[in-house]
Amino acid sequence: MKNFYLIIIAVLLFSCNKDGLLDSTDLDELTDEKVFTDVENTRKALMNLYGNMRQATNTNSGSFSQLFDMGVTVAMLDNATDDGAGNTTRNAGISPGIQKYITGAISGTSNPVVLTHPWRFFYRNIRNANIFLANVDKCPMTEQEKRSSFNQARFLRAYYYHELFRWFGPLVISTQPIDPFGFDSTKRENLSTTVNFIAGEFDALSQEGILPDTWEGSEYGRVTRTAAMAYKARTLLYAASPLFQESGVTWAQAAQAALELINYADSKNVHSLYVAPGEPEKSYTRYFNERSNPENILVYLRNATNDLYNLFPAFNPWNVNKELTTVPTQWLIDCYDMANGSEPILGYNADYSPIINAASGYNEQDPYKNRDPRFYQTILYHGATWPNVNKGTATVNITTPNNWGSGYFLVKYLDDRIDHRDGGNTSMNFIMMRYAEILLDYAEAVNEAENTSAGRLKAVEQLNRIRARAGITTPLNAADYTQESLRQRIRKERRVELCFEEHRFFDIRRWKIAKEVMNKPAIGITRQGGNFVRVKMDNRSFNERMNLSPLPVDEVNNAPLIFQNPGY
């Protein structure tokens, strides 16, 4: 087969062949003779399905920005959560997409997410997948390649449905190569039917012999058996969560699905937490710049690039483009433990001032000392340095008269071994699914399913695997927790480990805590009179209807059996 990675890039650049055969993403606009009677064109059609796993355009930094403002600005989806905030030196102040989410201005006629409404984007690709599945048998490729291609396309269709489920809940289910919205009989299914279909598809694809465990060499990046197991586990985890309890899925089912993958991956040595050769203390940051490693379950492959250096502070000598629209908040900073594993912040007073854990050794005026090693590998803060910037080392100094936003900057995904400003490129793939998430999924599900000391021991075991890789010196002790306190610990661990990977946006909704965390202002840090002072960045407003996104209003109006989500 052709080089998988290069074909993906070609699809994203809309240059699948010299005739522009697949410039359009709608396969039904092409004749069967042009696509499915030609081996190369059939392969390109499959790559087109891979390329559309995310909404990648030049205006949203090649798939990293679900929200965006201008040019290649990186306005990540986490900006619409309590972890992030918009900040730019441009006149816009806050990108329009972020503004709509933090002020509650989401409606059936607005679309703050990239260029294409997620409902339309993923259903278009579902239709294309259905066309592929209905026609691939016509292709004169080998029977083995036909079956493999069919199974990969089936996975991608299930993945598109999974993404729609995360955004919208109950869905229209179609497996036919037609436009499902062209009929008055088109029906939006209930939540149970939706979840059962998605989980059932992933379960079927996770059976032995359907998909391989790994792809080697130039085929790396294709979907695998463990990817099917992982997406089944995540689908069931979401379905068991408070927002989706009407699905009928139990926490025990979600825990079992995740455990099956953990046992399989550990016994077969298929996946493990990444440890950087020769520098294990930097394993967390190095992971995001390694194109191929055992922690990856599914990644969205991109060319080596330096586009995310726009996350640096928006002025010389850092970010000459001055296009920063992603900054971490103080709320996220407070979630990082001390290096010994103790929690520095126990809660907040009515004025949002922190309740400090005196036993942790945390000092509000020396707040970045002895923190979780992941903090230093994720965040730029006052006094921090970054090597190889402008042929030297630059130090963050938030006392200078520049637009510092929250006072923090994101360096996750960036590589301190290269000079991003001087054009140095590195692997910056978007992580769709990784092994650490599965460990967290299991910890959450088993804690909810088993309110016992044995259940908590199972959950803590997985948390300690992640924390040990991070370099935290003291493991958690299951005996110290109740089910409720461990629930909060698991959520905090998930927040830190997976920050800015597009989990928090969905997590606060499925847990139904967005109404609490998104009705508080975004908090940042500044220096006044030589002291660190917490400052309000913006006011926020969240309505519970925003736990689910609205369907496009014209879709609802045109089909009598498609109902709008509540509150819209």
Side-chain angles (χ1 to χ4, degrees):
M1 294 185 187
K2 297 275 187 157
N3 183 293
F4 175 73
Y5 183 62
L6 294 180
I7 290 178
I8 279 283
I9 297 303
V11 170
L12 295 182
L13 295 177
F14 303 103
S15 57
C16 289
N17 62 44
K18 63 182 179 181
D19 298 321
L21 176 65
L22 296 180
D23 283 3
S24 167
T25 58
D26 292 321
L27 295 183
D28 58 351
E29 295 177 3
L30 307 171
T31 65
D32 292 350
E33 288 75 22
K34 279 190 175 181
V35 179
F36 298 106
T37 58
D38 181 277
V39 172
E40 288 304 308
N41 286 340
T42 301
R43 289 170 178 167
K44 290 169 184 174
L46 179 60
M47 292 305 100
N48 194 59
L49 297 177
Y50 273 104
N52 283 320
M53 288 192 297
R54 288 182 59 78
Q55 303 179 54
T57 70
N58 289 335
T59 58
N60 72 322
S61 298
S63 84
F64 261 89
S65 299
Q66 286 289 323
L67 307 167
F68 75 103
D69 190 4
M70 61 278 183
V72 293
T73 297
V74 186
M76 294 182 176
L77 191 60
D78 288 54
N79 282 309
T81 76
D82 50 339
D83 281 358
N87 167 50
T88 179
T89 56
R90 301 291 181 90
N91 292 332
I94 300 176
S95 77
I98 299 170
Q99 189 71 32
K100 287 182 180 180
Y101 271 111
I102 67 176
T103 60
I106 303 298
S107 73
T109 57
S110 67
N111 176 35
V113 182
V114 197
L115 298 176
T116 306
H117 196 289
W119 180 274
R120 293 194 177 99
F121 177 81
F122 286 115
Y123 270 113
R124 184 176 64 208
N125 288 298
I126 286 168
R127 184 181 65 210
N128 291 344
N130 285 336
I131 292 168
F132 186 94
L133 292 167
N135 289 280
V136 66
D137 271 343
K138 299 175 183 177
C139 181
M141 57 177 52
T142 66
E143 288 301 316
Q144 181 180 3
E145 187 176 352
K146 281 183 189 178
R147 289 300 89 203
S148 176
S149 299
F150 181 94
N151 291 331
Q152 291 174 67
R154 186 180 177 187
F155 176 99
L156 293 167
R157 182 182 65 184
Y159 162 78
Y160 301 146
Y161 275 118
H162 169 85
E163 287 300 300
L164 284 165
F165 162 61
R166 294 209 294 172
W167 285 100
F168 302 102
L171 301 174
V172 173
I173 305 295
S174 174
T175 59
Q176 300 302 312
I178 57 175
D179 179 1
F181 301 104
F183 304 93
D184 288 345
S185 59
T186 296
K187 177 185 177 183
R188 189 179 179 195
E189 303 290 350
N190 61 30
L191 192 58
S192 178
T193 301
T194 296
V195 169
N196 287 340
F197 172 79
I198 298 170
E201 288 292 281
F202 286 130
D203 181 65
L205 290 161
S206 69
Q207 301 307 306
E208 186 175 1
I210 305 299
L211 291 168
D213 283 339
T214 59
W215 292 87
E216 301 298 333
S218 63
E219 306 301 332
Y220 179 79
R222 294 178 185 265
V223 298
T224 61
R225 181 184 186 184
T226 54
M229 297 173 76
Y231 273 92
K232 175 188 173 183
R234 186 200 281 174
T235 299
L236 294 179
L237 180 84
Y238 275 54
S241 300
L243 181 62
F244 298 117
Q245 282 185 337
E246 289 183 8
S247 69
V249 172
T250 67
W251 286 112
Q253 289 174 297
Q256 182 60 31
L259 182 61
E260 286 174 2
L261 175 52
I262 292 169
N263 288 340
Y264 185 80
D266 289 353
S267 64
K268 300 287 187 179
N269 198 28
V270 179
H271 295 292
S272 60
L273 296 176
Y274 174 75
V275 177
E279 44 182 356
E281 73 283 357
K282 288 193 173 184
S283 294
Y284 185 75
T285 189
R286 292 286 180 260
Y287 166 71
F288 298 101
N289 299 127
E290 290 295 332
R291 177 175 173 268
S292 173
N293 71 72
E295 188 165 344
N296 289 347
I297 296 177
L298 185 64
V299 296
Y300 190 81
L301 297 174
R302 307 166 76 227
N303 272 325
T305 183
N306 70 348
D307 58 358
L308 295 189
Y309 97 89
N310 287 318
L311 299 172
F312 277 145
F315 58 89
N316 288 331
W318 298 86
N319 173 3
V320 294
N321 290 333
K322 300 179 176 61
E323 291 182 340
L324 178 70
T325 54
T326 288
V327 291
T329 64
Q330 187 66 46
W331 301 124
L332 174 63
I333 305 307
D334 288 348
C335 286
Y336 286 91
D337 284 347
M338 306 302 286
N340 63 8
S342 61
E343 296 183 273
I345 308 297
L346 299 178
Y348 299 92
N349 297 306
D351 63 353
Y352 306 124
S353 60
I355 300 171
I356 296 172
N357 177 10
S360 70
Y362 174 78
N363 180 350
E364 185 80 342
Q365 295 308 318
D366 192 9
Y368 313 125
K369 183 178 179 180
N370 296 329
R371 302 295 290 271
D372 178 336
R374 288 171 294 187
F375 171 76
Y376 306 107
Q377 297 174 53
T378 305
I379 307 294
L380 272 180
Y381 53 93
H382 180 73
T385 61
W386 187 265
N388 299 325
V389 177
N390 202 25
K391 306 303 181 184
T393 298
T395 302
V396 175
N397 182 356
I398 62 175
T399 66
T400 58
N402 295 290
N403 183 355
W404 287 100
S406 69
Y408 300 106
F409 301 87
L410 188 67
V411 293
K412 185 173 183 173
Y413 303 108
L414 300 178
D415 193 334
D416 63 6
R417 295 168 295 187
I418 69 168
D419 190 340
H420 292 288
R421 287 199 60 228
D422 199 33
N425 293 331
T426 190
S427 174
M428 292 182 183
N429 296 323
F430 187 87
I431 308 302
M432 312 278 289
M433 178 74 72
R434 60 186 177 102
Y435 193 50
E437 180 193 338
I438 297 302
L439 303 184
L440 290 164
D441 289 353
Y442 176 68
E444 178 183 344
V446 76
N447 181 59
E448 299 295 343
E450 302 180 28
N451 186 12
T452 63
S453 57
R456 289 187 281 280
L457 187 63
K458 295 173 187 176
V460 165
E461 179 185 7
Q462 304 306 328
L463 297 186
N464 282 335
R465 291 176 70 177
I466 294 171
R467 290 163 65 84
R469 189 271 295 273
I472 296 175
T473 56
T474 305
L476 300 175
N477 182 4
D480 294 338
Y481 293 94
T482 64
Q483 183 185 47
E484 169 59 26
S485 63
L486 185 55
R487 177 184 299 129
Q488 300 309 317
R489 161 55 68 184
I490 291 167
R491 290 179 178 183
K492 180 184 283 192
E493 190 65 35
R494 184 179 180 92
R495 187 177 183 180
V496 167
E497 176 70 20
L498 303 178
C499 71
F500 293 94
E501 296 179 46
E502 294 191 351
H503 290 278
R504 184 71 176 171
F505 180 89
F506 298 106
D507 284 346
I508 61 176
R509 286 162 167 76
R510 67 182 178 87
W511 294 329
K512 298 184 75 171
I513 65 169
K515 63 182 179 181
E516 302 165 16
V517 303
M518 292 304 293
N519 278 311
K520 298 188 297 184
I523 300 295
I525 199 80
T526 189
R527 295 278 286 178
Q528 295 178 4
N531 293 322
F532 285 106
V533 177
R534 295 172 180 236
V535 293
K536 182 174 72 174
M537 296 179 62
D538 59 59
N539 290 311
R540 300 188 167 194
S541 177
F542 186 91
N543 188 302
E544 281 203 89
R545 63 184 171 85
M546 293 169 59
N547 281 328
L548 294 175
S549 295
L551 280 61
V553 67
D554 55 344
E555 299 281 15
V556 178
N557 292 340
N558 292 336
L561 298 181
I562 296 181
F563 54 92
Q564 182 60 278
N565 277 327
Y568 295 104

